[in-house]
């Protein structure tokens, strides 16, 4: 997958714009988010340009994912955060602004005021079974 000329993260990978990089491997790069939700907020990206998570070859996603436990441990040690969120937005409806796959690692502390409005709903009678059947069909190919 070639670099996208107008992609800010491809430019970071190429070193054309600076980044506070904490880790670089053959498959991925991790750096400080320029607009952190909390101190130490990291972004982890594949070095190749993919727009959405499902566009990535599973092996490349696995190579990136291999770095996540170590990055999570480092985040806790560096920031002293009590916890962190791993967040990955796909599509503008989901809040994706930069169209190059990225994983947020966001340090959290109790009462920090960050986070989603988490409003669980209930399925109407029979609806979960319909959706389950659709998933099984689609995943069975
Ligand atoms: P999204 O909303 O697409 O999930 O998140 C994009 C993230 O990229 C934002 O948190 C934003 O602060 C970060 N970002 C955008 N441009 C740059 C940049 O040039 N450098 C860095 N380090 N982060 C960026
Ligand atoms: Zn890109």
């Amino acid at each position: 997958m070639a670099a996208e000329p107008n992609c800010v993260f491809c430019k970071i990978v190429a070193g054309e714009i600076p980044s506070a990089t904490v880790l670089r491997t053959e498959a991925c790069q991790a750096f400080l988010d320029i607009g952190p939700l909390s101190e130490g907020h990291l972004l982890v990206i594949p070095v190749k340009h993919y727009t959405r998570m499902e566009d990535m070859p599973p092996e490349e996603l696995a190579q990136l994912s291999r770095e996540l436990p170590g990055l999570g441990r480092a985040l806790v040690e560096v920031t002293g955060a009590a916890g962190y969120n791993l967040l990955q937005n796909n599509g503008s409806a989901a809040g994706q602004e930069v169209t190059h796959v990225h994983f947020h690692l966001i340090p959290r502390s109790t009462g920090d005021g960050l986070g989603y409005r988490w409003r669980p709903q209930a399925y109407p009678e029979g609806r979960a079974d319909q959706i389950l059947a659709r998933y099984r069909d689609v995943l069975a190919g």
Side-chain angles (χ1 to χ4, degrees):
M1 190 69 55
E4 285 283 318
N6 293 322
C7 173
V8 67
F9 288 174
C10 283
K11 289 182 178 156
I12 284 177
V13 168
E16 289 165 18
I17 61 173
S19 66
T21 290
V22 303
L23 180 77
R24 173 72 186 251
T25 71
E26 210 178 308
C28 72
Q29 186 162 344
F31 51 91
L32 294 179
D33 192 306
I34 204 169
L37 294 186
S38 56
E39 279 191 6
H41 179 165
L42 293 174
L43 297 172
V44 191
I45 66 170
V47 297
K48 292 189 193 167
H49 183 95
Y50 299 103
T51 301
R52 293 165 63 121
M53 185 270 288
E54 74 269 26
D55 299 333
M56 289 185 70
E59 306 73 36
E60 288 179 38
L61 182 54
Q63 280 182 294
L64 181 154
S65 300
R66 259 202 290 279
E67 305 302 332
L68 294 175
L71 287 166
R73 265 191 301 275
L75 174 153
V76 167
E77 191 169 334
V78 168
T79 67
Y84 58 94
N85 292 116
L86 175 61
L87 178 68
Q88 202 271 312
N89 300 326
N90 297 284
S92 58
Q96 183 180 17
E97 289 182 356
V98 177
T99 57
H100 180 131
V101 171
H102 51 281
F103 292 75
H104 296 264
L105 282 165
I106 306 163
R108 298 298 305 275
S109 55
T110 305
D112 61 14
L114 298 175
Y116 277 105
R117 292 159 296 157
W118 196 273
R119 293 180 182 152
Q121 301 174 54
Y123 283 111
E125 184 68 29
R127 185 66 180 145
D129 284 340
Q130 288 174 346
I131 291 173
L132 174 63
R134 285 285 297 133
Y135 266 114
R136 288 180 173 166
D137 280 351
V138 167
L139 289 170

